[in-house]
């Protein structure tokens, strides 16, 4: 395959903007893994059974330890945790944070030798799921601390850095991660904050501003992403660990009032000629985005865990409500449209669980090629969790909208998950692009070697095509590809042999769907050619189908493990039927997306969007909120009235909080 691999950036007809996008993405992600993973194989139509079957299992000793921790945590969350107070007062009290440290929750993944519990990712995610049942704000606090704050130091810190910081982070210090900026959201490589070595080579001089730094105002250490000019003249991102007592750091806003996860604090921090000791360099110069993107693999799982916990809680509450709320002389659960929502919530919760803990299994066993898998986990769990909570709201009706009800809070808390850790629309393009990248490179490689190029002379074309037609490696890829693209002759579906015999029929169907998914990816690439890089409406159905196929395989693997374990009773029957219903739902969604690739309203959509944009361009900016760093309209928008909104000023107040925490 490597012999005919092509550089996608060099495709003819590709725009300069797309070339830059691909180059930036490659610099962020680094080289391709030596062995492609589960999802990239699905794009080829292959199923690597050994990566998903049997379903990942935890070590028995750690499972027992985690069970004990969750039991203690559940007791605290049910009897002490002030979830409504946190939401209404927009702050997590320090005593709550201290209680979480006492329980071991805040340091559970930190190694024992550094004062933590030394547990794996699966245990950590189980704990986040439990917290998510009760309080989205607290789940975000814990996730931000361990998934990106502590995790960056655990994975990339030197031994001296670990000894200096991890014992505190396991027991009394909160950490933060500073990546986003006023002009930087999903475009992680677009950092405007900069650092440069001091003349004596002992410090980095840091300048810039960070936004949305969760827990930044109460953190004793935070990792800051900043651009640095490398010896080759190129700008790359460097990760530096800062402390709030450094001269030149101004936490000028502790937080802003939000729709959901209201108890979390997202700081705005300004850095003015901050002298960061060279000993605080994390990993290597120019390797900061490797730090950030690696940590995101963990953050996307913990986000998914909090969402799963909330969805399960809302599902159970809504079903209980439907059984005890009577209308027209009957319980709501008697009505078919209510049953539809109950079944859907149950199916989605089962599938979320199956995918989440499959993904943590990849992380615990340290699989190499999992970035697409963790992105899928985030997209799937955030979207399906949101749908589940929304169904619960609809079942409970007006009562679900009341502030004291946990469903109302979960509804608001859940919405942010479709945006953070990579907006789902961006993740769809990422999944399409990098899930299908090896196959796309192979297809372009075949085309470059065997297809007529109108920009070449007759002789050059003939020489190139003739010589490559005698190349066995090229033709071994080209012949099956040509037969499929031009004659519709597809290879046989993958064989699935590791599932329980009772699931054989479902396995066969999913294998067929995987083959068809690969075919539709190839056909879309053939039809759109290089233009597909701009056509997100063509990318999204294919990306979504890859997600649904991944979910189906995770569901089959989890159900297989339950059957083999001899599970039975009402809970297992709920799980089994939920799994079956999800397989039906996912197949329906996949087939609908295939139709969308050929019969859609994209043409009229683009025309209508352009007309709406033209009309909006004629409206005066001063009536609207405008991005604060807009390159075309900065300073022209209206300032929103915040007179009735709680404010969170920073400055010395934030520094004092952080300094006090540092002292303790």
């Amino acid at each position: 395959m490597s012999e005919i691999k092509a550089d996608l950036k060099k495709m003819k007809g590709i725009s300069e903007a797309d070339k830059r996008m691909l180059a930036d993405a490659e610099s962020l992600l680094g080289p391709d893994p030596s062995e492609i993973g589960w999802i990239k194989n699905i794009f080829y139509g292959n199923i690597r059974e050994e990566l998903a079957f049997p379903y990942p299992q935890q070590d028995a000793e750690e499972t027992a330890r985690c069970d004990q921790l969750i039991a203690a945590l559940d007791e605290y969350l049910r009897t002490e945790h002030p979830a409504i107070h946190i939401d209404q007062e927009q702050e997590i009290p320090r005593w709550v944070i201290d209680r979480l440290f006492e329980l071991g929750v805040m340091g559970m993944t930190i190694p024992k030798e550094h004062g933590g519990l030394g547990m794996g990712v699966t245990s950590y995610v189980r704990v986040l799921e439990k917290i998510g049942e009760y309080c989205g704000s607290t789940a975000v606090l814990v996730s931000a601390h361990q998934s990106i704050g502590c995790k960056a130091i655990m994975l990339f810190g030197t031994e001296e850095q670990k000894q200096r910081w991890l014992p505190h982070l396991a027991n009394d210090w909160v950490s933060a991660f500073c990546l986003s900026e006023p002009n930087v959201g999903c475009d992680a490589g677009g950092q405007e904050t900069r650092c440069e070595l001091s003349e004596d080579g002992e410090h980095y001089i840091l300048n810039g501003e960070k936004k949305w730094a969760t827990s930044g105002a109460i953190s004793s250490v935070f990792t800051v992403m900043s651009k640095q000019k490398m010896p080759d003249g190129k700008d790359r991102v460097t990760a530096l660990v800062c402390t709030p007592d450094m001269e030149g750091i101004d936490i000028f806003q502790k937080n802003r009032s939000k729709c959901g996860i209201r108890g979390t604090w997202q700081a705005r921090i300004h850095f003015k000629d901050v002298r960061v000791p060279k000993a605080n360099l994390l990993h290597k110069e120019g390797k900061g985005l490797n730090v950030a993107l690696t940590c995101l693999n963990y953050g996307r799982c913990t986000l998914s865990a909090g969402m799963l916990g909330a969805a399960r809680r809302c599902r159970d509450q809504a079903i209980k409500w439907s059984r005890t709320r009577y209308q027209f002389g009957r319980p709501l659960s008697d009505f078919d449209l209510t049953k539809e929502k109950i079944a859907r919530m149950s199916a989605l919760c089962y599938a979320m669980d199956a995918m989440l803990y499959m993904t943590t299994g990849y992380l615990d066993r340290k699989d190499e090629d999992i970035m697409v898998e963790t992105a899928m986990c985030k997209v799937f769990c955030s979207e399906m969790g949101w749908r589940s909570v929304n169904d619960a709201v609809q079942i409970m009706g007006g009562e679900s909208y009341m502030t004291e009800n946990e469903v109302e809070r979960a509804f608001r808390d859940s919405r942010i998950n479709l945006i953070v850790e990579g907006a789902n629309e961006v993740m769809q393009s990422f999944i399409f692009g990098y899930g299908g990248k090896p196959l796309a490179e192979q297809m372009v490689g075949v085309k470059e070697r065997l297809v007529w190029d109108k920009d070449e002379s007759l002789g050059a074309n003939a020489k190139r095509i003739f010589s490559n037609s005698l190349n066995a490696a090229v033709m071994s890829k080209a012949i099956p590809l040509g037969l499929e693209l031009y004659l519709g002759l597809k290879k046989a579906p993958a064989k699935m042999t590791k599932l329980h015999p009772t699931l054989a029929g479902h396995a066969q169907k999913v294998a067929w769907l995987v083959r068809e998914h690969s075919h539709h990816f190839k056909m879309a690439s053939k039809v759109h050619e290089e233009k597909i890089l701009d056509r997100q409406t063509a990318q999204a159905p294919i990306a979504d189908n890859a997600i649904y196929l991944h979910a189906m395989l995770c569901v089959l693997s989890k159900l297989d493990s339950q059957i083999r374990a001899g599970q039975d009773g009402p809970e297992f029957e709920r799980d089994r039927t939920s799994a079956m219903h999800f397989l039906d739902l996912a197949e329906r969604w996949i087939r609908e997306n295939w139709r969308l690739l050929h019969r859609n309203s994209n043409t009229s959509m683009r025309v209508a969007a352009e007309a709406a944009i033209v009309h909006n361009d004629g409206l005066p900016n001063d009536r609207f909120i405008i991005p604060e760093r807009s390159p075309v309209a900065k300073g022209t928008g209206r300032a929103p009235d915040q007179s009735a909104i709680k404010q969170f000023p920073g400055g010395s107040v934030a520094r004092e909080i952080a300094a006090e925490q540092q002292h303790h």
Side-chain angles (χ1 to χ4, degrees):
M1 183 172 63
S2 60
E3 294 182 14
I4 59 169
K5 179 178 177 180
D7 186 344
L8 298 181
K9 301 188 299 299
K10 296 180 180 178
M11 282 193 299
K12 291 191 175 183
I14 187 173
S15 69
E16 288 301 317
D18 284 333
K19 287 180 183 178
R20 287 194 299 272
M21 180 186 71
L22 287 169
D24 288 346
E26 287 173 359
S27 69
L28 299 186
L29 296 170
D32 289 334
S34 58
E35 187 171 326
I36 67 173
W38 171 255
I39 299 303
K40 291 174 184 174
N41 268 281
I42 288 177
F43 276 84
Y44 275 99
N46 302 330
I47 298 174
R48 288 188 63 188
E49 286 192 281
E50 75 279 8
L51 295 181
F53 310 112
Y55 195 72
Q57 300 295 323
Q58 264 192 302
D59 171 75
E61 185 274 333
E62 177 161 324
T63 299
R65 285 202 301 140
C66 187
D67 287 345
Q68 290 181 327
L69 175 59
I70 288 175
L73 176 63
D74 186 65
E75 174 70 18
Y76 158 72
L77 290 168
R78 284 189 299 104
T79 61
E80 298 180 54
H81 189 70
I84 295 176
H85 174 89
I86 287 170
D87 181 64
Q88 293 296 298
E89 296 301 317
Q90 303 182 63
E91 181 177 0
I92 299 174
R94 180 66 210 192
W95 72 262
V96 169
I97 299 173
D98 291 339
R99 191 80 173 87
L100 294 170
F101 273 117
E102 290 169 13
L103 287 165
V105 167
M106 296 291 276
M108 65 176 300
T109 62
I110 293 174
K112 292 180 181 179
E113 61 266 30
H114 295 303
L117 299 183
M119 291 188 178
V121 181
T122 298
S123 294
Y124 172 43
V125 165
R126 288 181 62 201
V127 166
L128 260 294
E129 182 189 339
K130 175 58 65 176
I131 297 173
E133 287 184 30
Y134 293 90
C135 182
S137 291
T138 303
V140 171
L141 168 82
V142 176
S143 176
H145 171 64
Q146 284 196 83
S147 297
I148 50 179
C150 296
K151 188 62 71 174
I153 296 169
M154 286 168 57
L155 293 176
F156 297 99
T158 64
E159 192 54 41
E160 187 278 331
Q161 289 172 335
K162 292 176 183 178
Q163 291 175 2
R164 186 180 4 154
W165 291 318
L166 289 182
H168 279 296
L169 293 172
N171 292 285
D172 55 0
W173 286 4
V174 177
S175 60
F177 202 82
C178 301
L179 177 63
S180 297
E181 300 181 3
N183 260 348
V184 177
C186 294
D187 180 12
Q191 303 292 311
E192 295 178 352
T193 296
R194 300 194 64 85
C195 72
E196 59 182 20
L197 269 176
S198 59
E199 290 186 5
D200 61 9
E202 295 300 315
H203 293 82
Y204 294 95
I205 310 302
L206 182 65
N207 286 280
E209 182 183 327
K210 293 295 178 178
K211 189 178 182 181
W212 312 120
T214 297
S215 302
I218 59 172
S219 293
S220 296
V221 294
F222 35 83
T223 304
V224 181
M225 298 292 121
S226 58
K227 278 283 180 70
Q228 181 185 8
K229 190 170 288 297
M230 296 288 105
D232 62 4
K234 294 182 179 180
D235 283 341
R236 293 191 178 89
V237 177
T238 292
L240 302 173
V241 178
C242 297
T243 55
D245 58 341
M246 290 178 175
E247 189 68 30
I249 291 180
D250 180 19
I251 304 173
F252 65 92
Q253 190 174 42
K254 293 186 293 185
N255 185 32
R256 287 167 67 191
S257 188
K258 298 178 292 295
C259 166
I261 57 167
R262 287 162 61 85
T264 61
W265 281 10
Q266 285 74 35
R268 295 192 68 166
I269 309 173
H270 189 258
F271 302 90
K272 175 65 174 174
D273 295 329
V274 180
R275 295 175 64 83
V276 183
K278 196 168 184 181
N280 286 27
L281 169 68
L282 197 59
H283 196 26
K284 299 174 183 177
E285 291 183 347
K287 296 293 185 180
L289 276 176
N290 182 238
V291 175
L293 294 172
T294 301
C295 289
L296 280 176
N297 286 333
Y298 298 89
R300 286 169 179 159
C301 285
T302 51
L303 177 153
S304 300
M307 184 69 262
L308 173 58
R312 277 183 160 152
R313 180 81 168 179
C314 291
R315 174 201 64 191
D316 291 345
Q317 172 60 63
I319 295 173
K320 185 65 70 177
W321 185 271
S322 76
R323 298 295 295 150
T324 54
R325 168 68 165 165
Y326 275 61
Q327 290 287 273
F328 308 105
R330 301 159 63 187
L332 294 180
S333 60
D334 273 8
F335 295 96
D336 223 29
L337 290 178
T338 303
K339 289 181 188 293
E340 180 184 44
K341 293 177 179 60
I342 290 171
R344 184 164 56 220
M345 288 188 296
S346 297
L348 297 184
C349 286
Y350 186 89
M352 290 164 64
D353 179 284
M355 185 184 289
L356 173 59
Y357 290 104
M358 179 73 81
T359 310
T360 64
Y362 297 149
L363 287 164
D364 276 331
R365 71 191 187 201
K366 297 178 170 56
D367 284 13
E368 183 184 7
D369 189 15
I370 58 166
M371 194 171 285
V372 179
E373 284 80 350
T374 59
M376 281 189 170
C377 186
K378 183 269 172 180
V379 173
F380 185 78
C381 290
S382 62
E383 175 63 36
M384 300 307 164
W386 168 250
R387 292 184 193 181
S388 298
V389 172
N390 193 51
D391 277 342
V393 168
Q394 194 66 21
I395 288 173
M396 292 184 65
E399 193 62 39
S400 69
Y401 223 59
M402 299 300 105
T403 302
E404 72 270 16
N405 194 302
E406 62 207 15
V407 174
E408 179 269 345
R409 190 170 67 253
F411 182 76
R412 288 186 286 105
D413 289 348
S414 298
R415 187 58 183 84
I416 192 64
N417 292 329
L418 283 74
I419 300 169
V420 295
E421 303 281 12
N424 284 6
E425 292 83 0
V426 175
M427 290 295 96
Q428 284 173 314
S429 290
F430 172 77
I431 290 162
F432 172 87
Y434 279 84
K437 183 171 181 277
L439 177 55
E441 289 172 336
Q442 185 185 105
M443 291 176 67
V444 173
V446 168
K447 180 180 178 182
E448 288 178 349
R449 286 160 175 79
L450 295 172
V451 174
W452 190 273
D453 186 341
K454 60 181 176 60
D455 295 327
E456 284 186 359
S457 67
L458 172 64
N461 268 300
K463 181 180 179 181
R464 173 176 51 81
I465 294 171
F466 179 74
S467 63
N468 280 299
S469 67
L470 300 179
N471 185 318
V474 172
M475 297 310 293
S476 69
K477 305 299 179 185
I479 291 172
L481 183 61
L483 290 172
E484 181 171 350
L485 292 178
Y486 296 99
L487 297 178
L489 300 176
K490 309 165 195 172
K491 68 178 183 179
K495 297 288 186 183
M496 294 181 65
T497 62
K498 296 183 181 294
L499 283 169
H500 192 273
T502 60
L503 299 176
H506 297 287
Q508 185 177 8
K509 179 178 286 187
V510 173
W512 182 86
L513 291 170
V514 167
R515 182 190 69 173
E516 295 303 303
H517 167 72
S518 177
H519 177 69
H520 280 86
F521 175 82
K522 293 169 189 171
M523 291 302 296
S525 300
K526 172 179 174 284
V527 169
H528 296 285
E529 296 184 314
E530 69 277 356
K531 293 184 177 64
I532 201 165
L533 293 171
D534 280 330
R535 292 180 179 169
Q536 292 177 315
T537 49
Q539 297 172 12
I542 294 172
D544 284 346
N545 280 358
I547 296 171
Y548 300 148
L549 287 167
H550 179 37
M552 293 174 85
L553 287 159
C554 291
V555 162
L556 285 172
S557 183
K558 179 177 173 62
L559 184 59
D560 171 79
S561 71
Q562 291 177 287
I563 293 171
R564 293 182 189 276
Q567 293 187 16
D568 57 14
E571 184 174 355
F572 172 70
E573 188 59 18
R574 180 203 64 187
D575 285 353
R576 186 189 67 80
T577 56
S578 295
M580 294 298 102
H581 187 48
F582 177 77
L583 295 175
D584 281 349
L585 288 173
E587 182 181 359
R588 192 186 81 201
W589 299 335
I590 288 168
R591 291 181 181 277
E592 287 173 356
N593 278 335
W594 287 340
R595 285 193 291 272
L596 278 176
L597 288 172
H598 306 288
R599 301 187 63 177
N600 54 59
S601 55
N602 291 343
T603 301
S604 61
M605 174 273 290
R606 294 187 182 100
V607 173
E610 287 301 323
I613 290 167
V614 168
H615 174 265
N616 189 271
D617 283 347
L619 302 177
N621 285 0
D622 59 10
R623 295 184 188 177
F624 303 95
I625 309 297
I626 299 294
E628 61 183 292
R629 298 285 178 86
S630 169
V632 295
K634 179 181 176 181
T636 63
R638 70 174 177 85
D641 179 8
Q642 299 190 55
S643 58
I645 298 174
K646 183 176 180 179
Q647 299 299 305
F648 299 83
S652 61
V653 176
R655 283 198 296 273
E656 287 168 11
I657 294 172
E660 181 182 354
Q661 192 175 353
Q662 181 97 355
H663 174 72
H664 289 305

